[in-house]
Amino acid sequence: MGETGGFVLSERTKFLACFNRFSRFVYRDEDQIRTDLNLLLDELNSIEYSISIVKTEEINHLFVKLCNVVPIHQERLLVKLCQAVYNIRNKHVGLLSVECVTCVAEFLIRGVQRCQAWAMADILRALAKILKENVNRLSQFHDALLGEHGILVQLTFETVTDVEVLTEAVHCLENITIRVTGQPYLEDVYAVTAFSCLLQLLHRLPQCKMDANTQCQVLMSSLRGIQNIIIGTKTVFAEHIGSLLACVRAYMFHGLVSHPATIPARLYPMPLSQYDTNPATNKTTTSPQKTEEGTKLKEKNKESVKKSKKKRNKKTKDEVSDVAPVHPSGDSAEQGVEGGRVQIEAPVLQTTDESSYPPWARISSSESDYSDTEGGQGSRLRSSCIKVRQSALSCLHTLIKNADRKVIFGYWSSFIPDSQSPSSPQPQTLFTIIIKDPSPKCRMGALAALTALIDGTKPYLAVANDIEHFRMAFVPFSTILGSTIKELHRCLLLALVAENYPLTVTQVIKCLATLILNVPYHRMRPGLLSRVIKHVRHFINHKDPNVRVACLTCFGAIVGIQPPVMEVCHIIQSAHPPVGTRYVSQSESGNAENTTEPDGKNLETSSSTSENMDSELSSSKAGTSRCDSGTLLSERSKMSVHSHNHSPGFMTPVLAGPSGSRTPIFADPDLQAVVKETSWLIKMCSKNIITQRTEDASLDLVGNSVNLEPIPVRLESLQVLSLLTKGYFPIIRNSVPLLQDLICQCLEDSDPVIKLHGAKLLDELTQAMLRDLTDTVAAPDKLDLQQVLTFWTYLLSYPVPTILQLNDNNQVRASTCDCLANIGQQVFGELSVDRRILCVTLSLGLTSDPDKFVRASAVRVLGVLVLFPILREDISFMTDAANAVLTCLFDTSINVRWKAAWSLANICDALVNIREEGGDEILSEFPDALLIKMFTACTRACQDSEKVRSNAVRAMGNILRYLPDTCIEQNNFLIAIGDGIKALVKNIGTGLMKVRWNACYAVSNIFRNSRLPYQTSTWTKDVLTTLCSVVKDCKNFKVRINAALALSIPSQRGIYGNTQGFLYVWNSLIGGLKALEDNTDFSDYRYRDSLSDQICVALLHLVSMVTPDDLEVISSSTEDNHSLISTYLHKHKTGPTTTNSHPHKSLQEARDHIFSLDVEDLSAIQEGTLNRLLDLCQLIPENDIDGEKPEKSAFVQVYD
């Protein structure tokens, strides 16, 4: 310590001496002055800056002084100044002042423009250090550097022959493209220029004559520069994406055997490449000697694979999880172990001396890491090639994350193999690196890129099909996708069994989980998920907790598959994890054989295909060699044959119904036999969450705790149980008591995060139990009312009240409060009185809780409880609930106001239901003052945020539909009604579509109350005008449907106003039919028939109210549009629709009204109109209706 301190003090003293002399130095154009300046610069460069001996303020002053005293025409002094700048900035990472950065950058740029060629490299090296992370502070120099005649653009031209200058120029481009967080970036024109320069350089670099190490430096800087531009601009230039992907794809194999020496001009987004990517036909950098060595290596690998296959069956399950690869002893001369993988020898390339090694590379490794021997140079070259591959893979990952997912999906065939042509060699893909690369960092980079490539592709993979076989001249794209999906599973499992590096194992399993989340397994043949479980289960007891978390994430992805598939049922129903399980069709049942696990469990396993696949994976585990890509291609070709042959003619049955509903699980005999056993997945997760016992491996939730898993493992286990409960509850019904005890222990855990996720699991479990109880389809072992009642009686006796009243964790209280909304009216009606009172008291009390999340959950529970028949008849409770909800409707939190508006709308729904059920005596006790208060609150909420307004308009419509005569007679209420309907009209015309269609539906509810003063109110005309405008012009069909519905509700002719008002409504509905013909938005096409039917119902409703005066004003419109109206009315009359359960009811009412008119008092025009209306209202014979095929509709008129 004393020697180190003395050295630091000595260097500090030397620097201060130089600094003080520079501060006093005055330059004159004399030989002695130049000599003194030269010596002073030499002394400054001799100081060791790797230790903190310089302050940022001193650097700012020193750099400015240097630029002022060193003459720019003196190249020797200029170079030494650049060396000083580089040495200091290379070790000191402090932020320089704007004045200093500007001064030095201007000085160096002028130096580049006028210096001689021999000094150019040193100036650029110093300039690169100044440009780094200063792009926002040097905007005045962007044009000089990246303009049309910018120096960095010119120095990267093909005409530049000085390799060192090119290297430093590219390094400057890399540094100037680094984005500073929160600061302005390069203008688009300069970003495009830098991108083009780097991309062109990547394409022509293989033809440039330079040593291998220098080439690696230029490649790394170019790739990192392009990555910086993509990150900085957040865009990928569409016209360059194919060219960039071609470069990245080539350089991600840089330094590996058989890596192509030429780069195609671009990649094309097609299943088949438009250029030859076969490594066998491309020119490579592999020497004949290495090719011969590669051939010998292949032969040795084949021998080792054969030996490993013989030893495969001798391994136990415990050995598989941590087994290390067994490498053939005969290959030790050519192979080494790195990162848990066998390392291939890098190709023999031209090396360089130490002086040409880039400065940034000397940062990561000390100079003593590599000797001057040939072996040291080879190690340095291998390290540089690895960094190039890392940079290429990192650039690919960034490109995928920032590019349009649809565009990137078109390039899948260039990076992901498919097994369509097993007989011909396939091009190198990401799996070449994942399985064969000796560097674990490169393998992780390839896995990260592959994960990004797969993530978010669920809509595009949805068309994949591996069930049907097509025998035709071409292979359908759906089949190609199906084969690609199978190849992804196979190669990832091959990588998993060959990998020993924990971080890479974690990445492989996470990539598998991402793949599972995006694959349509209901369109794939079974077996893929079983094989995943078989191999991932070996890592569930891995010593690295990150690996265990990744395994649980993978299991969670499997049990979260939607729609549910039978294969997942077979996986999770067993008491033990599946080992080689194969689902055999009837045609193959004769060839299946029963194998026994070590625990004695008999399972059907494949005697051919699965064995071949498993032996292949096991042999890879036993001896996976990092040989050349040709070996990988031959292995892939062989294995793709096996993947095509398993489970022919058998499709994965999809479980009927939505998540959590009854499934055909009990129709399967294998599942019936073991359905009462506890699933192995529940056992494993329970042990992870609670305790692990050393003396007994069986599950014991009561025993003494030995140790707890790390928090991430416990949380992921809870997530798996939540997903399992949500998607496959019919299979785990028998485990409800176990889950109940587990949840209670989680709620009592000392860790608040465990409590929170335990409460979320309780929420999912109670929802699943409610769905199971209310399901009308009978099923074996279905939960009955008594079981669910017992469950809730226990929860309400201790755990739930304790959490809600005593716990100080507000998030846990909010999640637990959410569970009360899942009781269900059947169970609530059977609860004892004290339990019901407890639920009501807790819900009402928590609406005034200090925490906003608890208040939001409590007010939501009230919105559910008011719909229960046993409570909505209790006016005292309804009054208390309404007052509590109104208080929350004015809360400062928008989330609380949103839930309060929803609950208020439910209260209004309950009032309407009571009135329709004849409960006027009950409603007579509901106070009018509270009703006025509710309506006023709704009017105010209609001016709140979009979330609140969508429910506020719904509540307003129900209140006005329910409104009794005693309220209508009050003047203050009439004024409030006018203000409320004005707010409602505003929401019909503007806002989110959800708000607008709810507002239209609210008007339809208002029109159902015939006691309102429509004809004497000024707002009636505004409502009708707005509805007519929406029917004609709104782009959203659901809004137009509800507007037409509202126009078809009024039961009094006077509501439509005078004859001109009637004509306006009539023409608006006809305009709505005309607008159907001009629809160009196909997203709403499924609602087209529903809209036309609803407009026809509205037209017939108007006909049923027409007066003689109306006949005259609509005469011209009816005559001009007779054909259009007739077409849509005929379509409406020839089949049932969802808009009108009795399509002939409105038709018959219209005909009856027409016949009731006195023809003798009509004029000729009126009589002609009446005849045309009568023709339009002709009934269709029933036998003609039966011949029409009813069309399906996707719309139901309800509130959203």
Side-chain angles (χ1 to χ4, degrees), residues 1145-1179:
K1145 181 180 179 180
S1146 56
L1147 187 63
Q1148 189 62 49
E1149 290 176 354
R1151 286 174 58 83
D1152 293 342
H1153 179 72
I1154 292 174
F1155 287 127
S1156 68
L1157 294 176
D1158 190 356
V1159 181
E1160 297 179 357
D1161 297 334
L1162 300 180
S1163 64
I1165 297 177
Q1166 293 172 338
E1167 187 174 353
T1169 305
L1170 189 65
N1171 291 331
R1172 281 189 289 272
L1173 293 179
L1174 185 60
D1175 179 65
L1176 291 174
C1177 297
Q1178 289 293 333
L1179 292 174

Side-chain angles (χ1 to χ4, degrees), residues 883 886 926-936 967 970 973:
N883 284 314
L886 288 175
F926 197 84
D928 292 344
L930 179 59
L931 202 59
I932 296 176
K933 188 178 179 181
M934 291 167 59
F935 188 83
T936 306
C967 293
Q970 301 178 24
F973 211 116

